[in-house]
Amino acid sequence: MSDLVRFKFYETALEANRDKQILAENGINSFIANEQLLQSDWLLSQAVGGIQLQVFEEDMEKAQQILQDYKDNEQYSLEVEHTIEDPEFDFVCPKCGSNHIYRDDSATSFFGISFLTSHKFKCYYCGNEFTH
């Protein structure tokens, strides 16, 4: 049996758990370190190196390839619907016409909590950022 190695570092448990699930679906065992510690005291993040995803040394290359393939295919996995069924949702991406958009609150949030409403939007399909 090979040793566990630090594979990837994360700022949030959500990202770490997403990648852990992707690896599990592809037959790779992985483990998350420091998740509970940092959820109880996030100030320790720098001291312990953030949330760590660990894999067995023998699975390192396969895990890297799986996550790279997922990242490469993520943008193409979204099905674009160009018709708007909800009349209250009355705008689309000015670049590609997709209505698969979301409000980008990252500029108006602090530790994941939004304090202000952003007028900045991002298209899931083409990645275009725009204001409305």
Side-chain angles (χ1 to χ4, degrees):
M1 180 65 75
S2 64
D3 294 329
L4 281 173
V5 293
R6 285 176 252 161
F7 173 63
K8 204 168 173 189
F9 299 91
Y10 302 88
E11 291 184 14
T12 67
L14 183 64
E15 295 170 330
N17 280 292
R18 180 203 61 205
D19 285 357
K20 182 179 189 304
Q21 182 63 36
I22 292 166
L23 293 176
E25 289 173 359
N26 288 279
I28 302 288
N29 289 322
S30 59
F31 306 91
I32 297 176
N34 302 333
E35 180 179 11
Q36 286 82 19
L37 174 66
L38 296 181
Q39 285 179 342
S40 65
D41 189 356
W42 59 269
L43 292 172
L44 294 173
S45 182
Q46 292 292 337
V48 297
I51 297 171
Q52 301 173 14
L53 184 63
Q54 300 175 345
V55 298
F56 289 108
E57 194 171 22
E58 63 194 26
D59 294 331
M60 179 78 102
E61 288 181 31
K62 186 176 178 185
Q64 288 172 337
Q65 188 62 49
I66 289 168
L67 291 182
Q68 184 61 46
D69 290 347
Y70 178 83
K71 182 180 175 185
D72 291 345
N73 292 321
E74 184 176 32
Q75 63 181 330
Y76 302 109
S77 65
L78 297 171
E79 181 180 327
V80 177
E81 178 64 51
H82 291 282
T83 60
I84 300 171
E85 297 176 11
D86 184 357
E88 292 182 24
F89 188 72
D90 64 348
F91 64 99
V92 296
C93 173
K95 183 176 178 183
C96 72
S98 169
N99 65 348
H100 289 266
I101 55 179
Y102 66 96
R103 185 184 309 268
D104 184 6
D105 289 329
S106 60
T108 61
S109 66
F110 185 69
F111 292 108
I113 301 170
S114 293
F115 293 103
L116 302 170
T117 302
S118 172
H119 296 287
K120 187 176 178 182
F121 293 86
K122 189 167 183 177
C123 177
Y124 277 111
Y125 185 67
C126 70
N128 182 35
E129 294 181 2
F130 60 97
T131 58
H132 180 74

